[in-house]
Short mmCIF file of all heavy atoms in Angstrom, two decimals:
data_model
loop_
_atom_site.label_atom_id
_atom_site.label_comp_id
_atom_site.label_asym_id
_atom_site.label_seq_id
_atom_site.Cartn_x
_atom_site.Cartn_y
_atom_site.Cartn_z
N GLU A 745 123.26 217.03 159.07
CA GLU A 745 122.94 217.32 157.60
C GLU A 745 121.71 218.28 157.66
O GLU A 745 120.77 218.07 158.25
CB GLU A 745 122.44 215.93 157.05
CG GLU A 745 121.85 216.15 155.58
CD GLU A 745 122.84 216.61 154.55
OE1 GLU A 745 124.09 216.46 154.70
OE2 GLU A 745 122.37 217.16 153.67
N ARG A 746 121.90 219.43 157.05
CA ARG A 746 121.02 220.46 156.99
C ARG A 746 120.04 220.26 155.86
O ARG A 746 120.45 220.03 154.70
CB ARG A 746 121.64 221.79 157.04
CG ARG A 746 122.42 222.10 158.33
CD ARG A 746 123.37 223.27 158.11
NE ARG A 746 122.80 224.43 157.65
CZ ARG A 746 122.61 225.59 158.34
NH1 ARG A 746 122.94 225.68 159.55
NH2 ARG A 746 122.15 226.67 157.82
N LYS A 747 118.70 220.42 156.17
CA LYS A 747 117.68 220.44 155.05
C LYS A 747 116.78 221.60 155.36
O LYS A 747 116.59 222.03 156.51
CB LYS A 747 116.84 219.11 155.21
CG LYS A 747 117.58 217.84 155.08
CD LYS A 747 118.02 217.64 153.64
CE LYS A 747 118.66 216.28 153.46
NZ LYS A 747 119.38 216.06 152.18
N TYR A 748 116.25 222.25 154.31
CA TYR A 748 115.38 223.35 154.47
C TYR A 748 114.11 222.96 155.11
O TYR A 748 113.65 223.53 156.13
CB TYR A 748 115.04 223.97 153.18
CG TYR A 748 114.13 225.18 153.25
CD1 TYR A 748 114.48 226.37 153.73
CD2 TYR A 748 112.65 224.93 152.91
CE1 TYR A 748 113.62 227.38 154.00
CE2 TYR A 748 111.86 226.05 153.10
CZ TYR A 748 112.24 227.31 153.58
OH TYR A 748 111.31 228.30 153.79
N GLN A 749 113.51 221.86 154.66
CA GLN A 749 112.24 221.49 155.37
C GLN A 749 112.18 219.85 155.20
O GLN A 749 112.44 219.33 154.17
CB GLN A 749 111.07 222.02 154.58
CG GLN A 749 109.75 221.67 155.16
CD GLN A 749 108.67 222.54 154.49
OE1 GLN A 749 108.55 222.46 153.21
NE2 GLN A 749 107.83 223.34 155.16
N LEU A 750 111.78 219.23 156.33
CA LEU A 750 111.57 217.84 156.45
C LEU A 750 110.20 217.41 156.73
O LEU A 750 109.90 217.18 157.99
CB LEU A 750 112.65 217.19 157.27
CG LEU A 750 114.03 217.06 156.89
CD1 LEU A 750 114.92 216.79 158.06
CD2 LEU A 750 114.18 216.19 155.72
N LYS A 751 109.27 217.30 155.89
CA LYS A 751 107.93 216.92 156.15
C LYS A 751 107.97 215.44 156.51
O LYS A 751 107.11 214.88 157.34
CB LYS A 751 107.01 217.09 154.99
CG LYS A 751 106.74 218.62 154.72
CD LYS A 751 105.88 218.75 153.49
CE LYS A 751 105.66 220.28 153.26
NZ LYS A 751 104.94 220.50 152.00
N GLN A 752 108.81 214.60 155.90
CA GLN A 752 109.03 213.25 156.18
C GLN A 752 110.56 212.87 155.83
O GLN A 752 111.14 213.39 154.95
CB GLN A 752 108.18 212.46 155.12
CG GLN A 752 108.31 210.91 155.23
CD GLN A 752 107.25 210.23 154.26
OE1 GLN A 752 106.39 210.79 153.72
NE2 GLN A 752 107.55 208.90 154.11
N ILE A 753 111.05 212.00 156.64
CA ILE A 753 112.47 211.54 156.42
C ILE A 753 112.38 210.21 155.63
O ILE A 753 111.80 209.30 156.18
CB ILE A 753 113.28 211.54 157.76
CG1 ILE A 753 113.19 212.86 158.47
CG2 ILE A 753 114.64 210.85 157.54
CD1 ILE A 753 113.89 212.84 159.80
N TYR A 754 113.00 210.25 154.58
CA TYR A 754 113.09 209.08 153.77
C TYR A 754 114.23 208.16 154.02
O TYR A 754 115.35 208.74 154.43
CB TYR A 754 112.96 209.44 152.19
CG TYR A 754 111.62 210.05 151.84
CD1 TYR A 754 111.56 211.47 151.77
CD2 TYR A 754 110.50 209.26 151.50
CE1 TYR A 754 110.31 212.09 151.48
CE2 TYR A 754 109.31 209.96 151.22
CZ TYR A 754 109.27 211.22 151.23
OH TYR A 754 108.00 211.91 150.86
N GLN A 755 114.29 207.00 153.62
CA GLN A 755 115.39 206.00 153.86
C GLN A 755 116.64 206.59 153.15
O GLN A 755 117.73 206.43 153.64
CB GLN A 755 115.14 204.56 153.42
CG GLN A 755 116.18 203.57 153.77
CD GLN A 755 116.32 203.49 155.24
OE1 GLN A 755 115.35 203.34 155.99
NE2 GLN A 755 117.54 203.54 155.76
N GLY A 756 116.43 207.17 151.92
CA GLY A 756 117.57 207.70 151.18
C GLY A 756 118.27 208.80 151.88
O GLY A 756 119.49 208.96 151.84
N GLN A 757 117.51 209.58 152.67
CA GLN A 757 118.15 210.71 153.36
C GLN A 757 118.96 210.18 154.65
O GLN A 757 119.97 210.68 154.88
CB GLN A 757 117.08 211.63 153.93
CG GLN A 757 116.36 212.41 152.82
CD GLN A 757 115.10 213.15 153.25
OE1 GLN A 757 114.34 212.53 153.80
NE2 GLN A 757 115.03 214.42 152.76
N ILE A 758 118.45 209.01 155.24
CA ILE A 758 119.10 208.44 156.21
C ILE A 758 120.43 207.79 155.79
O ILE A 758 121.48 207.80 156.32
CB ILE A 758 118.31 207.41 156.99
CG1 ILE A 758 117.12 208.16 157.75
CG2 ILE A 758 119.13 206.46 157.96
CD1 ILE A 758 116.14 207.31 158.31
N TYR A 759 120.32 207.10 154.59
CA TYR A 759 121.39 206.56 153.91
C TYR A 759 122.62 207.58 153.65
O TYR A 759 123.72 207.46 153.66
CB TYR A 759 121.10 205.71 152.65
CG TYR A 759 120.56 204.39 152.86
CD1 TYR A 759 120.06 203.74 151.79
CD2 TYR A 759 120.45 203.79 154.03
CE1 TYR A 759 119.53 202.44 151.88
CE2 TYR A 759 120.08 202.52 154.21
CZ TYR A 759 119.47 201.91 153.14
OH TYR A 759 119.01 200.57 153.24
N GLN A 760 122.06 208.83 153.16
CA GLN A 760 123.11 209.87 152.96
C GLN A 760 123.84 210.24 154.27
O GLN A 760 125.05 210.28 154.22
CB GLN A 760 122.19 211.13 152.54
CG GLN A 760 123.08 212.36 152.25
CD GLN A 760 122.30 213.65 152.07
OE1 GLN A 760 121.14 213.72 152.26
NE2 GLN A 760 122.96 214.66 151.68
N LEU A 761 123.07 210.36 155.32
CA LEU A 761 123.74 210.61 156.62
C LEU A 761 124.65 209.54 157.04
O LEU A 761 125.76 209.77 157.54
CB LEU A 761 122.66 210.90 157.63
CG LEU A 761 122.97 211.66 158.98
CD1 LEU A 761 123.75 212.93 158.58
CD2 LEU A 761 121.85 211.90 159.76
N TRP A 762 124.23 208.19 156.92
CA TRP A 762 125.10 207.08 157.19
C TRP A 762 126.39 207.07 156.30
O TRP A 762 127.38 206.83 156.95
CB TRP A 762 124.46 205.90 157.02
CG TRP A 762 123.29 205.50 158.03
CD1 TRP A 762 122.95 206.21 159.18
CD2 TRP A 762 122.45 204.41 157.99
NE1 TRP A 762 121.84 205.74 159.83
CE2 TRP A 762 121.59 204.59 159.16
CE3 TRP A 762 122.17 203.31 157.14
CZ2 TRP A 762 120.52 203.56 159.46
CZ3 TRP A 762 121.25 202.36 157.48
CH2 TRP A 762 120.45 202.46 158.55
N ALA A 763 126.12 207.33 155.05
CA ALA A 763 127.33 207.41 154.23
C ALA A 763 128.33 208.50 154.59
O ALA A 763 129.59 208.26 154.56
CB ALA A 763 126.91 207.63 152.70
N GLN A 764 127.83 209.63 154.96
CA GLN A 764 128.74 210.65 155.43
C GLN A 764 129.48 210.28 156.71
O GLN A 764 130.65 210.49 156.84
CB GLN A 764 127.97 211.95 155.63
CG GLN A 764 127.39 212.58 154.40
CD GLN A 764 126.45 213.77 154.69
OE1 GLN A 764 126.11 213.97 155.83
NE2 GLN A 764 125.96 214.35 153.61
N MET A 765 128.71 209.60 157.64
CA MET A 765 129.33 209.15 158.85
C MET A 765 130.42 208.03 158.55
O MET A 765 131.44 208.03 159.15
CB MET A 765 128.26 208.53 159.67
CG MET A 765 128.74 207.91 161.00
SD MET A 765 127.85 206.42 161.58
CE MET A 765 127.97 205.35 160.26
N LEU A 766 130.09 207.14 157.69
CA LEU A 766 131.21 205.98 157.40
C LEU A 766 132.34 206.67 156.82
O LEU A 766 133.41 206.28 157.08
CB LEU A 766 130.50 205.05 156.42
CG LEU A 766 129.33 204.22 157.02
CD1 LEU A 766 128.66 203.45 155.91
CD2 LEU A 766 129.96 203.21 158.04
N CYS A 767 132.18 207.77 155.94
CA CYS A 767 133.36 208.42 155.33
C CYS A 767 134.18 209.08 156.42
O CYS A 767 135.35 208.94 156.50
CB CYS A 767 132.90 209.39 154.35
SG CYS A 767 132.24 208.69 152.76
N LEU A 768 133.51 209.77 157.25
CA LEU A 768 134.22 210.55 158.33
C LEU A 768 134.96 209.68 159.32
O LEU A 768 136.02 209.88 159.60
CB LEU A 768 133.07 211.31 159.12
CG LEU A 768 132.81 212.78 158.82
CD1 LEU A 768 131.86 213.33 159.78
CD2 LEU A 768 134.04 213.63 158.75
N THR A 769 134.27 208.50 159.62
CA THR A 769 134.88 207.48 160.42
C THR A 769 136.13 206.91 159.93
O THR A 769 137.21 206.78 160.53
CB THR A 769 133.82 206.47 160.84
OG1 THR A 769 132.65 206.96 161.42
CG2 THR A 769 134.42 205.47 161.87
N GLU A 770 136.06 206.57 158.63
CA GLU A 770 137.17 205.96 157.92
C GLU A 770 138.29 207.10 157.86
O GLU A 770 139.47 206.67 157.73
CB GLU A 770 136.84 205.54 156.49
CG GLU A 770 137.84 204.79 155.83
CD GLU A 770 137.25 204.14 154.54
OE1 GLU A 770 136.24 203.60 154.44
OE2 GLU A 770 138.08 204.09 153.63
N MET A 771 137.92 208.40 157.83
CA MET A 771 138.84 209.40 157.77
C MET A 771 139.61 209.74 159.13
O MET A 771 140.43 210.61 159.15
CB MET A 771 138.26 210.64 157.05
CG MET A 771 138.04 210.48 155.58
SD MET A 771 136.96 211.87 154.99
CE MET A 771 137.99 213.24 155.23
N GLY A 772 139.12 208.98 160.17
CA GLY A 772 139.61 209.28 161.45
C GLY A 772 138.89 210.04 162.45
O GLY A 772 139.38 210.35 163.62
N TYR A 773 137.66 210.44 162.13
CA TYR A 773 136.83 211.25 162.97
C TYR A 773 136.04 210.33 163.77
O TYR A 773 135.54 209.30 163.37
CB TYR A 773 136.00 212.27 162.15
CG TYR A 773 136.75 213.40 161.50
CD1 TYR A 773 137.22 213.19 160.17
CD2 TYR A 773 136.91 214.53 162.20
CE1 TYR A 773 137.95 214.18 159.56
CE2 TYR A 773 137.60 215.58 161.47
CZ TYR A 773 138.11 215.38 160.25
OH TYR A 773 138.81 216.41 159.61
N GLU A 774 135.64 210.74 165.05
CA GLU A 774 134.75 209.95 165.87
C GLU A 774 133.37 210.63 165.74
O GLU A 774 133.22 211.78 165.93
CB GLU A 774 135.02 210.06 167.33
CG GLU A 774 136.35 209.10 167.68
CD GLU A 774 136.61 209.21 169.12
OE1 GLU A 774 135.71 208.78 169.85
OE2 GLU A 774 137.63 209.73 169.58
N VAL A 775 132.37 209.71 165.34
CA VAL A 775 130.99 210.18 165.31
C VAL A 775 130.16 209.29 166.23
O VAL A 775 130.09 208.08 166.12
CB VAL A 775 130.42 210.03 163.67
CG1 VAL A 775 128.97 210.38 163.69
CG2 VAL A 775 131.35 210.72 162.79
N GLU A 776 129.47 210.06 167.16
CA GLU A 776 128.72 209.40 168.34
C GLU A 776 127.31 209.60 168.04
O GLU A 776 126.43 208.88 168.58
CB GLU A 776 129.26 209.86 169.61
CG GLU A 776 130.62 209.40 169.98
CD GLU A 776 131.06 209.82 171.36
OE1 GLU A 776 130.27 210.52 172.10
OE2 GLU A 776 132.16 209.42 171.76
N SER A 777 126.89 210.63 167.29
CA SER A 777 125.50 210.84 167.06
C SER A 777 125.27 211.54 165.70
O SER A 777 126.25 212.23 165.26
CB SER A 777 124.79 211.65 168.20
OG SER A 777 125.52 212.94 168.39
N LEU A 778 124.01 211.35 165.24
CA LEU A 778 123.67 211.96 163.92
C LEU A 778 122.46 212.66 164.08
O LEU A 778 121.59 212.45 164.90
CB LEU A 778 123.39 210.74 162.94
CG LEU A 778 124.55 209.70 162.78
CD1 LEU A 778 123.92 208.53 162.03
CD2 LEU A 778 125.57 210.38 162.06
N ALA A 779 122.31 213.69 163.24
CA ALA A 779 120.96 214.56 163.26
C ALA A 779 120.72 215.27 161.99
O ALA A 779 121.73 215.48 161.23
CB ALA A 779 121.10 215.60 164.37
N PHE A 780 119.47 215.54 161.69
CA PHE A 780 119.09 216.44 160.52
C PHE A 780 118.75 217.76 161.31
O PHE A 780 118.32 217.69 162.41
CB PHE A 780 117.79 215.98 159.88
CG PHE A 780 118.13 214.82 158.95
CD1 PHE A 780 117.62 213.56 159.31
CD2 PHE A 780 118.80 214.94 157.71
CE1 PHE A 780 117.86 212.51 158.40
CE2 PHE A 780 118.98 213.81 156.92
CZ PHE A 780 118.50 212.64 157.26
N TYR A 781 119.14 218.91 160.65
CA TYR A 781 118.70 220.14 161.08
C TYR A 781 117.85 220.82 160.06
O TYR A 781 118.16 220.97 158.89
CB TYR A 781 119.93 221.11 161.39
CG TYR A 781 119.59 222.41 161.70
CD1 TYR A 781 119.16 222.65 163.04
CD2 TYR A 781 119.68 223.46 160.90
CE1 TYR A 781 118.81 224.00 163.44
CE2 TYR A 781 119.47 224.80 161.26
CZ TYR A 781 118.93 225.05 162.53
OH TYR A 781 118.63 226.29 162.97
N GLU A 782 116.61 221.11 160.46
CA GLU A 782 115.58 221.73 159.59
C GLU A 782 115.75 223.12 159.71
O GLU A 782 115.32 223.82 160.83
CB GLU A 782 114.27 221.11 159.91
CG GLU A 782 113.16 221.71 158.97
CD GLU A 782 111.80 221.11 159.25
OE1 GLU A 782 111.34 221.16 160.50
OE2 GLU A 782 111.15 220.49 158.39
N THR A 783 116.33 223.83 158.77
CA THR A 783 116.44 225.27 158.77
C THR A 783 115.27 226.11 158.83
O THR A 783 115.25 227.16 159.54
CB THR A 783 117.46 225.76 157.72
OG1 THR A 783 116.80 225.61 156.46
CG2 THR A 783 118.77 225.21 157.73
N SER A 784 114.17 225.72 158.27
CA SER A 784 112.91 226.43 158.13
C SER A 784 112.23 226.54 159.57
O SER A 784 111.48 227.46 159.74
CB SER A 784 111.91 225.89 157.10
OG SER A 784 111.53 224.53 157.47
N THR A 785 112.57 225.55 160.35
CA THR A 785 111.88 225.58 161.72
C THR A 785 112.90 225.73 162.85
O THR A 785 112.52 225.74 164.02
CB THR A 785 111.11 224.21 161.94
OG1 THR A 785 111.95 223.17 161.78
CG2 THR A 785 109.89 224.16 160.92
N ASN A 786 114.19 225.64 162.55
CA ASN A 786 115.32 225.73 163.45
C ASN A 786 115.21 224.51 164.52
O ASN A 786 115.47 224.80 165.67
CB ASN A 786 115.26 227.08 164.21
CG ASN A 786 116.49 227.42 165.06
OD1 ASN A 786 117.59 226.96 164.51
ND2 ASN A 786 116.39 228.10 166.04
N LYS A 787 114.87 223.46 163.83
CA LYS A 787 114.76 222.21 164.72
C LYS A 787 115.84 221.19 164.41
O LYS A 787 116.07 220.88 163.27
CB LYS A 787 113.46 221.50 164.65
CG LYS A 787 112.33 222.32 165.20
CD LYS A 787 111.03 221.55 165.12
CE LYS A 787 109.82 222.33 165.74
NZ LYS A 787 108.53 221.80 165.42
N SER A 788 116.36 220.50 165.32
CA SER A 788 117.35 219.31 165.24
C SER A 788 116.45 218.12 165.31
O SER A 788 115.72 217.97 166.32
CB SER A 788 118.33 219.39 166.20
OG SER A 788 119.24 218.33 166.08
N ILE A 789 116.73 217.17 164.53
CA ILE A 789 115.98 215.96 164.48
C ILE A 789 117.07 214.72 164.60
O ILE A 789 117.62 214.45 163.62
CB ILE A 789 115.15 215.66 163.18
CG1 ILE A 789 114.20 216.84 163.10
CG2 ILE A 789 114.44 214.28 163.21
CD1 ILE A 789 113.59 217.11 161.61
N PRO A 790 117.04 214.15 165.76
CA PRO A 790 118.03 213.15 166.01
C PRO A 790 117.79 211.90 165.12
O PRO A 790 116.62 211.53 164.71
CB PRO A 790 117.94 212.72 167.43
CG PRO A 790 117.07 213.64 168.08
CD PRO A 790 116.24 214.39 166.93
N VAL A 791 118.92 211.22 164.75
CA VAL A 791 118.76 209.88 163.78
C VAL A 791 119.56 208.96 164.55
O VAL A 791 120.71 209.12 165.06
CB VAL A 791 119.35 210.21 162.43
CG1 VAL A 791 119.46 208.95 161.65
CG2 VAL A 791 118.55 211.29 161.70
N GLN A 792 119.07 207.74 164.73
CA GLN A 792 119.70 206.66 165.32
C GLN A 792 121.00 206.23 164.56
O GLN A 792 120.96 206.27 163.30
CB GLN A 792 118.78 205.39 165.37
CG GLN A 792 117.70 205.51 166.37
CD GLN A 792 118.14 205.62 167.79
OE1 GLN A 792 119.00 204.82 168.21
NE2 GLN A 792 117.53 206.49 168.50
#
């Protein structure tokens, strides 16, 4: 999930990523890891 800037990661943002993962999985895709990508700093932030 790409975000311009993440000063803090809120539970709602994690829920957004989980919801996307649950949808993808139900659609037949395998998801083994999750991450936010902060475009302003070019950093990947792993999410459990």
